[in-house]
């Protein structure tokens, strides 16, 4: 009897181990974090989820890809992008890039590598942020816009105003206006800085190439100037109010 019980226990341990190994392998194959996925993504239609740290973008990524509801499990900081290959059974990959400013180069390289395969950018921000303190968020978005300007292809952008359930949340129109005003100031600072460099090195062509825009920034920046469509929509990952964002993603799937 004892021998039979030990045998049953041993079989259960083996089966449990095999099941765990299978789940780990399945996670890796799904492409959430692997160098092979990164190489593969360069060649397929991709929608990028980006935004500053703590905006809720990674929680949104997990909700879209795994229907997770426990936000506390989704706040792990990652230094590598995460990928959901063949999202919703389509040919499109959903990619979540780290939001820390020191890792912004990964997003830049990702956008450049994709070229014509980039189908849209979902930019998540915290809608409770005071418009007076929106500079860092606007700078992050400006770097994305500068890359898209160099690509010269119309790429749609969704600015997802997260945490809209909060009493201190700003409405999308106010956030849009605050971003446009701040991006205008950022471009003005860049032009002034480039102008100073131009006087020092005298290479006008190189300076113009560094800030190559398809619109006249002297009139101020507006999202309407971009070739792609820009939508600004409110929602809440915490309250699971992400339907409009899901619809936007769905409309860009291939």
């Amino acid at each position: 009897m004892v021998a039979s019980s030990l045998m049953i226990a041993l079989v259960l341990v083996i089966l449990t181990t095999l099941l765990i190994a299978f789940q780990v392998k399945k996670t890796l194959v799904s492409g959430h974090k692997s160098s092979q996925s990164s190489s593969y993504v360069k060649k397929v239609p991709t929608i990028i989820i980006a935004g500053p740290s703590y905006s809720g973008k990674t929680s949104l990524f997990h909700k879209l890809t795994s229907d997770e509801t426990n936000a506390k499990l989704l706040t792990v900081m990652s230094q590598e992008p995460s990928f959901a290959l063949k999202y919703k059974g389509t040919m499109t990959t959903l990619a979540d890039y780290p939001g820390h400013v020191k890792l912004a180069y990964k997003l830049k390289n990702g956008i450049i590598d994709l070229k014509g395969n980039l189908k849209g950018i979902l930019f998540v921000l915290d809608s409770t942020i005071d418009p007076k303190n929106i500079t860092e968020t606007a700078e992050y978005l400006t770097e994305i816009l500068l890359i898209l300007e160099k690509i010269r292809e119309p790429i749609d952008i969704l600015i997802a105003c997260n945490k809209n359930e909060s009493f201190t949340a700003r409405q999308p129109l106010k956030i849009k206006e605050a971003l446009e005003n701040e991006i205008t100031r950022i471009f003005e600072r860049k032009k002034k800085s480039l102008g100073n460099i131009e006087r020092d090195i005298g290479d006008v062509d190189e300076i113009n190439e560094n800030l190559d825009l398809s619109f006249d920034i002297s009139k101020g920046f507006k999202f309407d100037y971009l070739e792609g469509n820009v939508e600004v929509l409110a929602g809440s990952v915490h309250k699971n109010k992400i339907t409009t964002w899901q619809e936007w993603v769905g409309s860009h799937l291939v």
Side-chain angles (χ1 to χ4, degrees), residues 35-233:
S35 58
Q36 290 181 344
S37 297
S38 181
S39 177
Y40 169 80
V41 165
K42 296 178 183 179
K43 306 173 184 177
V44 299
T46 301
I47 296 173
I48 286 179
I49 298 179
S53 298
Y54 307 110
S55 61
K57 65 178 185 58
T58 298
S59 293
L60 175 60
F61 174 79
H62 282 280
K63 271 191 177 294
L64 292 173
T65 57
S66 61
D67 296 323
E68 282 283 357
T69 57
N70 189 347
K72 292 182 179 179
L73 298 177
L74 307 176
T75 56
V76 178
M77 295 292 290
S78 173
Q79 295 186 358
E80 297 296 332
S82 298
F83 304 108
L85 308 182
K86 296 184 178 180
Y87 174 70
K88 300 294 184 183
T90 68
M91 294 301 295
T92 307
T93 289
L94 204 61
D96 170 36
Y97 277 81
H100 196 282
V101 64
K102 292 183 178 180
L103 299 173
Y105 71 93
K106 293 181 181 289
L107 173 61
K108 177 181 178 179
N109 292 339
I111 294 175
I112 294 173
D113 288 341
L114 280 167
K115 297 179 181 177
N117 284 322
L118 179 59
K119 299 305 176 184
I121 294 179
L122 197 166
F123 187 85
V124 185
L125 56 77
D126 183 347
S127 63
T128 66
I129 189 171
D130 190 323
K132 297 178 181 178
N133 301 322
I134 207 168
T135 301
E136 185 175 330
T137 299
E139 287 178 343
Y140 198 110
L141 182 55
T142 300
E143 292 305 311
I144 294 176
L145 299 181
L146 284 171
I147 299 170
L148 296 183
E149 280 291 298
K150 290 183 181 296
I151 294 176
R152 293 294 195 226
E153 292 185 12
I155 305 297
D156 292 344
I157 300 174
L158 169 62
I159 299 177
C161 303
N162 190 28
K163 305 181 184 180
N164 192 250
E165 80 282 356
S166 174
F167 178 76
T168 59
R170 271 71 179 181
Q171 293 305 306
L173 181 59
K174 293 293 184 182
I175 293 175
K176 180 181 180 181
E177 292 175 349
L179 283 172
E180 289 177 334
N181 292 335
E182 189 58 39
I183 291 174
T184 295
R185 287 190 281 269
I186 291 170
F187 276 131
E188 288 173 348
R189 290 196 295 270
K190 286 182 178 291
K191 287 189 67 175
K192 183 178 180 180
S193 176
L194 291 174
N196 292 335
I197 297 174
E198 178 185 327
R199 287 193 294 272
D200 291 338
I201 66 177
D203 191 341
V204 179
D205 291 336
E206 183 177 344
I207 298 304
N208 289 338
E209 184 179 350
N210 287 333
L211 197 58
D212 186 15
L213 303 175
S214 61
F215 51 86
D216 185 0
I217 193 59
S218 65
K219 299 178 181 179
F221 173 78
K222 298 291 182 184
F223 287 112
D224 291 341
Y225 296 163
L226 302 176
E227 294 189 28
N229 294 321
V230 179
E231 295 184 63
V232 186
L233 301 173

